[in-house]
Amino acid sequence: QVQLVESGGGLVQPGGSLRLSCVVSGGPLNYYAIGWFRQAPGGQREGVSCLWRSDGATYYSDSVKGRFTISRDVARNTVYLQMNSLLSEDTAVYYCATIRYSDSCQKTITYYYGMDVWGRGTQVTVSQ
């Protein structure tokens, strides 16, 4: 069974950077489409970014486009989310998940559907 473990969260000042990691075990990394999602305190979970299966196509929500970058290291079975120019609005628990019931990153991130197996999340706090 596939498992996902996030890491890399922490406290950072506005304008700072963090890199989140999602280690995927149980199969070849390029077999899975992987998405990053976040949930702010009192808010709903939303799509942030996605990396598709073998072609590596990517997609970003409007709120993070130009600031965040998703990538993968197949040899390490790890998907990364590089977060730059962080804002207080980016404060949330960040989750990675496999995407099974969708045919595109755009659809999953925009409409929030198709996720299957989730990690437990990592806290990102952007504050002075």
Side-chain angles (χ1 to χ4, degrees):
Q1 177 60 54
V2 63
Q3 292 182 300
L4 298 85
V5 180
E6 305 95 333
S7 63
L11 175 64
V12 64
Q13 295 185 146
S17 298
L18 282 174
R19 188 180 72 166
L20 306 183
S21 298
C22 174
V23 177
V24 181
S25 60
L29 184 59
N30 61 4
Y31 180 82
Y32 301 99
I34 304 294
W36 284 99
F37 307 85
R38 67 186 182 186
Q39 188 166 17
Q44 297 195 93
R45 197 169 298 184
E46 63 181 4
V48 175
S49 185
C50 173
L51 193 156
W52 206 244
R53 308 182 207 278
S54 56
D55 66 1
T58 60
Y59 189 81
Y60 301 90
S61 67
D62 289 342
S63 62
V64 308
K65 193 173 300 181
R67 300 188 297 120
F68 292 9
T69 303
I70 191 170
S71 63
R72 66 185 174 192
D73 186 332
V74 174
R76 296 181 183 272
N77 268 64
T78 302
V79 175
Y80 301 98
L81 185 68
Q82 178 67 46
M83 306 186 295
N84 298 326
S85 302
L86 283 162
L87 307 169
S88 60
E89 298 94 291
D90 296 316
T91 295
V93 177
Y94 283 72
Y95 302 87
C96 60
T98 62
I99 300 169
R100 182 176 180 183
Y101 309 106
S102 175
D103 62 3
S104 76
C105 278
Q106 180 178 356
K107 291 177 182 177
T108 290
I109 297 304
T110 300
Y111 302 112
Y112 189 77
Y113 82 101
M115 299 77 68
D116 189 17
V117 180
W118 293 83
R120 293 182 179 181
T122 185
Q123 174 72 233
V124 172
T125 303
V126 184
S127 177
Q128 294 285 3

